[in-house]
Amino acid sequence: MNGKMLRPTSFDVAERAGVSQSTVSRALRNSPGVNAETRARVSAAARELGYVVDRHASSLRLKSSETIALVTICRPGEDRSAINPFYFALLGSIAAATSARGFNLLVSFQENPDNFRADFVASGLADAMIVIGTTSNRPAWDYFAQAQASGLDFVCWGSPGSPFHWMRSENDIGGQLAAEHFVRDGRRRIAFVGPQQSPQRQFDERRDGFSAALAAHGLTAIVAEPPAAADRHAQGVAAVQALLEAHPDTDAIFAASDMLALGVLQGLKDAGRRVPEDIALIGFDGIRAGTLADPALTTLEPDLDAAGEALVAMALEDDERTRSGTRIPVHLVVRGST
Amino acid sequence: MNGKMLRPTSFDVAERAGVSQSTVSRALRNSPGVNAETRARVSAAARELGYVVDRHASSLRLKSSETIALVTICRPGEDRSAINPFYFALLGSIAAATSARGFNLLVSFQENPDNFRADFVASGLADAMIVIGTTSNRPAWDYFAQAQASGLDFVCWGSPGSPFHWMRSENDIGGQLAAEHFVRDGRRRIAFVGPQQSPQRQFDERRDGFSAALAAHGLTAIVAEPPAAADRHAQGVAAVQALLEAHPDTDAIFAASDMLALGVLQGLKDAGRRVPEDIALIGFDGIRAGTLADPALTTLEPDLDAAGEALVAMALEDDERTRSGTRIPVHLVVRGST
DNA sequence: CTGAAAGCGCTTACAG
DNA sequence: CTGAAAGCGCTTACAG
């Protein structure tokens, strides 16, 4: 256990297999033009010695690390367990897509200027970078905007700013699905709760798709901007109070995200409104906590597997032209809140 | 943008600064014995060229990658967004501890034999490995047990098996705190809901601390084993039915984890029992979803920051003797469910 | 099909 | 305080 044996190198394997080191390398990489019998002998020797290729030496030679760097922007001072679970789920799906390609995933949570870092590709640690997380951390996104301006490239989820390569949900369709669901259900006093000034264009798209679909039915969405608060949940709670004061007869609410919707749900309970009897509620994101709520939250769920795969593919893709505009499909999951 | 410039090397910096390449390396690593003026000139040249040290070359030379590998074991076939949020929170705190040391974090979610992998340290990709996640995936833990037997070392959270270096919460104290809280509240028909045959020794410790504290008050815990189900939440729902059938006058439940407790909460609502009026409920883990439940869940919350830091420290520590037995403090967070 | 050799970009004894 | 040189462990032209 102690006195740990030195890690064997390809030379050790070569000696054991009775071939040259170059042949070991070729055999283990499945290069063409290696005698089958030789290859087998090399594999056996490698196995016996517990040999594993040194990834640093390999990456240095190949100039490729087969790893993706994933940066998650957090709210400053935010507790790790308070990170919007949607981003954890997205992280999970990115990890799946990464590992399906045999790539590694390097993750980094960033919140303060002291730990801002965008040099994963520049240092060779990763072949490409993906950035996700809250749009509310302006300094972080400014930092990444500047990194991009100086040549560091990456793709991101949502729309934290203008110059980035992005990927988003089909937000307009999601909004439309929510609107049509409400209308079919006979709701008439329908509100949208979501940030209006956020750099997160996705919220606007959801609202616009929602409003347009309502308009097609001769209805106008009440747009309620949540007040500033510690996080989306708290914003949702606060938004309801203001909304019900101004529009006490509201009978349906579409919230721009699930965390917001869960706050809205809490606020509605606090106000003594029954969901869905008095007010129906739809969120957006499909986070797990929505299924645990009471009533469980009806929501628009993006296809996260597709999102992870598309983000990784996009990040690895060199062709500039294919690096913008991708949309991830969403579908309505009807649960108890409508 | 296209025609991407070759990455500059330390030789480029050397030329620009008018010094040798070795001096560049020394200056940038803050090695002692470099003239301050020279160091400044090198730094300036590096900045101007956008030079970043190649981590593969550096790691190859240094034989250290300054990165930690974190493996999260998942339930086979489990959706990424269904991973117990406790492990995501733990991942976040490990990331924080890692980055505080200037280390990188490589993450890997593993569930099936096709993607089992434990060679992160052997390949030089990481200096140490941490393994967390569900204990219910037996083949995965068998795989890691075997990896350890053949010399790959790592530390893990909980107690997925015998031969591992582990770190756990102060489970017995947690159980005791739960018991005392119930007793102080006047509860008398008190149950523990948790797996009895799980390799996760933490559940047993929670139960035993709980039972012992109740016994000190002349009370005996009703122990209810949840039936098999898709996940902990579903197990919790199912456990309540059986429990209330056998013990309809139960007035308090301590669940071995928050996900279980949230399922129990759902089951209690389904059964028409009010929480906390009829039955008080305490969970364990302090996951975010507990704060979103209605009523919010009283729980035992481990100090996750401490857990992340301790896991990283333990993983990096070479001394065998300091690699077992560490305990993470927990405290009772009282919310609406009690 | 296989081997000898160069070189990826660093770090650090070894000289001066 | 600084430079020339060796070497970390690979991959792959280049010869044979």
Side-chain angles (χ1 to χ4, degrees):
Chain A
M1 256 325 167
N2 41 10
K4 55 174 71 169
M5 174 170 51
L6 288 182
R7 272 184 25 191
T9 71
S10 52
F11 285 90
D12 299 319
V13 178
E15 186 175 353
R16 177 159 197 130
V19 296
S20 74
Q21 183 271 337
S22 0
T23 297
V24 169
S25 180
R26 286 198 197 88
L28 263 25
R29 307 197 87 228
N30 290 318
S31 298
V34 176
N35 183 295
E37 194 268 330
T38 306
R39 191 187 301 276
R41 221 166 59 245
V42 170
S43 301
R47 201 173 320 111
E48 286 156 22
L49 292 174
Y51 171 75
V52 180
V53 172
D54 184 300
R55 293 299 300 273
H56 294 301
S58 173
S59 295
L60 177 59
R61 212 24 257 256
L62 260 17
K63 290 176 167 297
S64 151
S65 56
E66 308 225 304
T67 111
I68 297 281
L70 172 63
V71 172
T72 304
I73 306 292
C74 308
R75 289 166 181 257
E78 178 180 61
D79 208 70
R80 244 54 169 177
S81 57
I83 293 169
N84 190 328
F86 174 77
Y87 293 115
F88 277 127
L90 191 54
L91 184 159
S93 73
I94 290 169
T98 302
S99 118
R101 296 174 182 244
F103 272 53
N104 298 304
L105 216 218
L106 208 54
V107 308
S108 164
F109 296 86
Q110 305 190 5
E111 57 229 338
N112 298 313
D114 357 320
N115 67 9
F116 288 167
R117 243 190 94 192
D119 63 359
F120 299 98
V121 174
S123 67
L125 270 179
D127 296 334
M129 179 165 72
I130 297 172
V131 185
I132 66 176
T134 179
T135 51
S136 73
N137 191 332
R138 176 74 57 154
W141 288 105
D142 286 347
Y143 175 83
F144 278 91
Q146 185 166 332
Q148 178 164 78
S150 55
L152 297 181
D153 208 10
F154 55 89
V155 303
C156 58
W157 174 262
S159 57
S162 31
F164 304 127
H165 298 291
W166 52 264
M167 166 153 319
R168 306 179 194 173
S169 296
E170 283 179 339
N171 296 300
D172 51 345
I173 295 179
Q176 181 189 329
L177 291 172
E180 284 164 1
H181 189 66
F182 282 152
V183 170
R184 253 196 321 277
D185 194 32
R187 310 283 170 168
R188 312 294 297 175
R189 305 283 306 170
I190 304 177
F192 172 83
V193 171
Q196 301 303 307
Q197 302 295 340
S198 168
Q200 182 56 282
R201 270 286 302 157
Q202 297 206 103
F203 294 150
D204 298 337
E205 294 173 352
R206 290 165 196 177
R207 179 200 59 215
D208 293 347
F210 185 65
S211 295
L214 285 185
H217 289 275
L219 297 172
T220 305
I222 304 158
V223 174
E225 161 131 42
D231 59 23
R232 295 284 179 218
H233 185 266
Q235 286 190 285
V237 175
V240 172
Q241 299 179 319
L243 172 65
L244 292 185
E245 233 164 77
H247 304 274
D249 56 350
T250 301
D251 65 8
I253 299 175
F254 174 39
S257 79
D258 277 356
M259 283 306 293
L260 216 37
L262 291 172
V264 166
L265 179 58
Q266 184 61 54
L268 289 172
K269 286 178 179 176
D270 293 349
R273 305 298 183 105
R274 295 170 304 162
V275 178
E277 295 83 352
D278 302 330
I279 301 185
L281 176 62
I282 298 181
F284 202 113
D285 280 347
I287 65 174
R288 172 73 174 274
T291 70
L292 305 178
D294 181 29
L297 189 62
T298 292
T299 190
L300 277 317
E301 187 171 297
D303 182 340
L304 277 195
D305 287 343
E309 168 54 28
L311 278 169
V312 171
M314 192 186 253
L316 254 16
E317 176 61 66
D318 297 328
D319 184 354
E320 283 287 324
R321 289 161 308 179
T322 66
R323 294 187 64 170
S324 272
T326 313
R327 293 284 180 172
I328 299 301
V330 304
H331 67 280
L332 182 73
V333 180
V334 178
R335 292 196 282 246
S337 71
T338 57
Chain B
M1 252 331 165
N2 41 11
K4 56 173 71 167
M5 175 171 50
L6 288 182
R7 272 191 358 171
T9 71
S10 53
F11 285 91
D12 299 317
V13 177
E15 185 175 354
R16 176 158 196 130
V19 296
S20 75
Q21 184 270 338
S22 0
T23 297
V24 169
S25 181
R26 286 198 197 91
L28 264 25
R29 306 198 87 228
N30 290 318
S31 298
V34 176
N35 183 294
E37 194 269 330
T38 307
R39 192 187 300 276
R41 220 165 60 243
V42 170
S43 301
R47 202 173 320 112
E48 287 156 21
L49 292 174
Y51 171 75
V52 180
V53 171
D54 183 300
R55 293 299 302 269
H56 295 301
S58 173
S59 294
L60 177 58
R61 215 20 261 256
L62 260 18
K63 290 176 166 297
S64 151
S65 56
E66 308 226 303
T67 110
I68 298 281
L70 172 63
V71 172
T72 305
I73 307 292
C74 308
R75 289 165 180 258
E78 178 181 63
D79 208 72
R80 244 54 169 172
S81 56
I83 292 169
N84 190 329
F86 174 77
Y87 293 115
F88 277 128
L90 191 53
L91 183 159
S93 74
I94 290 169
T98 303
S99 118
R101 296 174 183 244
F103 272 54
N104 298 304
L105 215 218
L106 208 54
V107 309
S108 164
F109 296 86
Q110 305 190 5
E111 58 229 336
N112 298 312
D114 358 320
N115 67 9
F116 288 167
R117 242 190 95 193
D119 63 0
F120 299 98
V121 173
S123 67
L125 269 178
D127 296 333
M129 180 165 73
I130 298 172
V131 184
I132 66 176
T134 180
T135 51
S136 72
N137 190 333
R138 176 73 58 157
W141 289 104
D142 287 347
Y143 175 83
F144 278 90
Q146 185 165 331
Q148 179 164 76
S150 55
L152 297 181
D153 207 9
F154 56 88
V155 304
C156 56
W157 174 261
S159 57
S162 31
F164 304 128
H165 298 290
W166 52 264
M167 167 153 319
R168 306 178 195 174
S169 295
E170 283 179 339
N171 296 300
D172 50 344
I173 295 181
Q176 181 188 330
L177 291 172
E180 284 165 1
H181 188 67
F182 283 151
V183 170
R184 252 198 320 276
D185 193 33
R187 310 283 171 168
R188 312 294 297 175
R189 305 283 306 171
I190 303 177
F192 171 84
V193 171
Q196 300 304 307
Q197 302 295 342
S198 168
Q200 182 57 281
R201 270 286 303 156
Q202 296 204 102
F203 294 151
D204 298 337
E205 294 173 352
R206 290 166 196 176
R207 179 200 60 215
D208 293 347
F210 185 66
S211 296
L214 285 184
H217 290 273
L219 297 171
T220 304
I222 304 158
V223 173
E225 161 132 41
D231 59 22
R232 294 284 179 219
H233 184 266
Q235 284 190 285
V237 175
V240 172
Q241 300 179 317
L243 173 65
L244 292 184
E245 234 164 78
H247 304 274
D249 56 349
T250 301
D251 65 7
I253 299 175
F254 173 40
S257 79
D258 278 354
M259 283 307 292
L260 216 37
L262 291 171
V264 166
L265 179 58
Q266 184 61 54
L268 288 172
K269 286 179 179 177
D270 294 349
R273 304 298 183 104
R274 294 169 305 161
V275 178
E277 293 83 352
D278 301 332
I279 300 185
L281 176 63
I282 298 181
F284 203 114
D285 279 347
I287 64 174
R288 171 74 174 272
T291 70
L292 305 178
D294 182 29
L297 189 62
T298 293
T299 190
L300 277 317
E301 187 172 297
D303 182 341
L304 277 195
D305 287 344
E309 168 53 29
L311 278 169
V312 170
M314 191 186 254
L316 254 16
E317 176 61 64
D318 298 328
D319 184 354
E320 282 289 323
R321 288 161 308 178
T322 67
R323 293 189 65 172
S324 273
T326 312
R327 292 284 180 173
I328 298 302
V330 304
H331 68 280
L332 182 73
V333 180
V334 178
R335 292 196 281 245
S337 71
T338 58

